[in-house]
Amino acid sequence: MAQVVDRWHLSRPAEGAKACTQHTSRTKALVPSVDHGKGLRWQVRYRDPDGKQVKENFATKPPAERRAAEIAMEMDKGTYVHPSELRITFREYAEQWRKAQPHRPTTARDVETVLRLYVYPKFGDRQLTSIRKGELQAWLTGLVRVKGLAPRTAIKVKQKVTAVFNAAVHDRLIPASPCAGLKAVEVPHAEVTPLTSAEVHKLAGAMPDRYRVLVILAAGSGLRAGELFGLQVKHIDFLRRTVKVEQQVQRAHPGVVVWPPKTKHSYRTVPVPQRVIDALAAHLKAYPAEQDGFLFAGPVNADHFADTVWRPAVKAAGLPKGTRLHALRHTYASVLIKHGKGPKTVAARLGDTVAVAMAIYAHLFPDEDEGTREAVEEFLQEAA
């Protein structure tokens, strides 16, 4: 129970004892303060959920009584926050949260960069409890429309800030997240443009010999860049014509690290055609590797590869400047869809959920309108 105590009375033994008895008998009572000479006469005393005594001082009695009632209500609802925690800044809490997360190396780097570059300059020194939804919304919109930040990057910023505030809610530092309902500027729809068969072969021909098979393998398996660079000889089954994904390479500081696949769906065995198997066999004949050796010796740092190998090859092949290695993943998906493979199969081969596969590739699936008409027409005809 919170008590309100008159600290002036507490400084006089006889009267203080009487005053204290009077106030402690009240349910949800309040308590006065400590150094009466400094004007903080009234003190609210109570025990927090951990059983530790807490004292809060006030100059006058009404705010002390309001605070005592507030404490009692927060205790009942389970939303109580210790006064010292109310003073924690966004930066202090976000850094505690960030360092405690089991993030992958690239994710950890992204989180640190986003917070340092975009969030801390605006909210870093603000008390966590003082930040309101309205100002978050204005700031987030301004990142795109005033600062010129790419909408896709602004969405990443929103995700990181939301994660911090959600964690603060779970830690009972704030009763609710100010990010609830926060809206980011929409990302313009970008049409997925798969490469043609001729473009794939032209790109492969523009690559250095050591990496020529990478293009054929990527287009023939749909693996992500990190999964391609994480392949070891033991992951290739030449007899069954499959490629097994059970690890990936991620950028770290310094160098790279071998890490588990992106999600549980990313663990998979992908069937590949004989042409891919033959290309892999020829590659290993030219560039031998042990069973536990990486298919592309290194393992490869994707950033360095993009700068020194990929972009020059894209330019030499005459492909659009922004063509990424990921375009070959889109190409693989489009080939499957074109040959009648459904969302479930496409998702399984790509190591994604059906929802993700449909969100990215839905426009590539054939129109089902006519099939729907035929099915219902047949049903009604039978009934007639």
Side-chain angles (χ1 to χ4, degrees), residues 188-211:
H189 176 69
E191 195 75 16
V192 177
T193 306
L195 302 184
T196 65
S197 177
E199 287 174 330
V200 170
H201 286 288
K202 195 172 182 180
L203 179 60
M207 298 285 283
D209 289 345
R210 178 177 288 277
Y211 294 108

Side-chain angles (χ1 to χ4, degrees), residues 76-295:
D76 289 342
K77 292 182 177 180
T79 60
Y80 168 80
V81 179
H82 192 281
S84 63
E85 294 176 331
L86 290 172
R87 294 189 291 271
I88 191 171
T89 66
F90 182 91
R91 188 198 311 270
E92 290 170 340
Y93 181 74
E95 284 298 290
Q96 292 175 17
W97 168 82
R98 180 180 68 81
K99 293 174 182 178
Q101 301 309 302
H103 287 147
R104 298 170 183 272
T106 52
T107 303
R109 184 179 65 178
D110 287 346
V111 170
E112 189 278 332
T113 301
V114 164
L115 292 174
R116 173 171 47 82
L117 294 183
Y118 306 116
V119 190
Y120 291 162
K122 178 68 175 179
F123 297 109
D125 297 328
R126 290 275 301 279
Q127 288 184 359
L128 191 68
T129 55
S130 72
I131 301 172
R132 299 290 176 258
K133 178 181 177 179
E135 57 185 329
L136 281 172
Q137 183 65 72
W139 162 75
L140 188 61
T141 303
L143 285 178
V144 176
R145 295 182 179 171
V146 179
K147 301 291 186 180
L149 196 66
R152 196 176 300 277
T153 304
I155 288 177
K156 286 186 177 181
V157 174
K158 173 181 175 289
Q159 291 170 341
K160 306 302 184 286
V161 172
T162 299
V164 172
F165 277 111
N166 285 345
V169 172
H170 288 302
D171 284 342
R172 295 186 176 182
L173 296 180
I174 52 176
S177 171
C179 293
L182 204 61
K183 297 180 180 179
V185 175
E186 290 187 6
V187 177
H189 176 69
E191 195 75 16
V192 177
T193 306
L195 302 184
T196 65
S197 177
E199 287 174 330
V200 170
H201 286 288
K202 195 172 182 180
L203 179 60
M207 298 285 283
D209 289 345
R210 178 177 288 277
Y211 294 108
R212 188 160 294 159
V213 71
L214 177 74
V215 175
I216 303 301
L217 176 58
S221 66
L223 269 60
R224 301 174 178 90
E227 295 170 345
L228 289 165
F229 294 133
L231 286 177
Q232 293 173 292
V233 177
K234 64 182 179 182
H235 297 135
I236 312 299
D237 190 324
F238 290 90
L239 183 62
R240 293 182 176 84
R241 295 182 296 172
T242 60
V243 175
K244 189 174 184 180
V245 179
E246 58 183 12
Q247 64 187 31
Q248 63 172 322
V249 167
Q250 290 218 337
R251 290 161 289 183
H253 291 292
V256 297
V257 293
V258 178
W259 207 258
K262 185 176 181 181
T263 68
K264 65 178 182 180
H265 299 284
S266 300
Y267 288 90
R268 63 198 188 280
T269 299
V270 183
V272 294
Q274 188 63 43
R275 185 178 294 272
V276 171
I277 291 296
D278 291 344
L280 287 170
H283 170 79
L284 289 173
K285 184 177 180 180
Y287 303 99
E290 299 296 327
Q291 185 74 356
D292 289 333
F294 285 94
L295 203 60

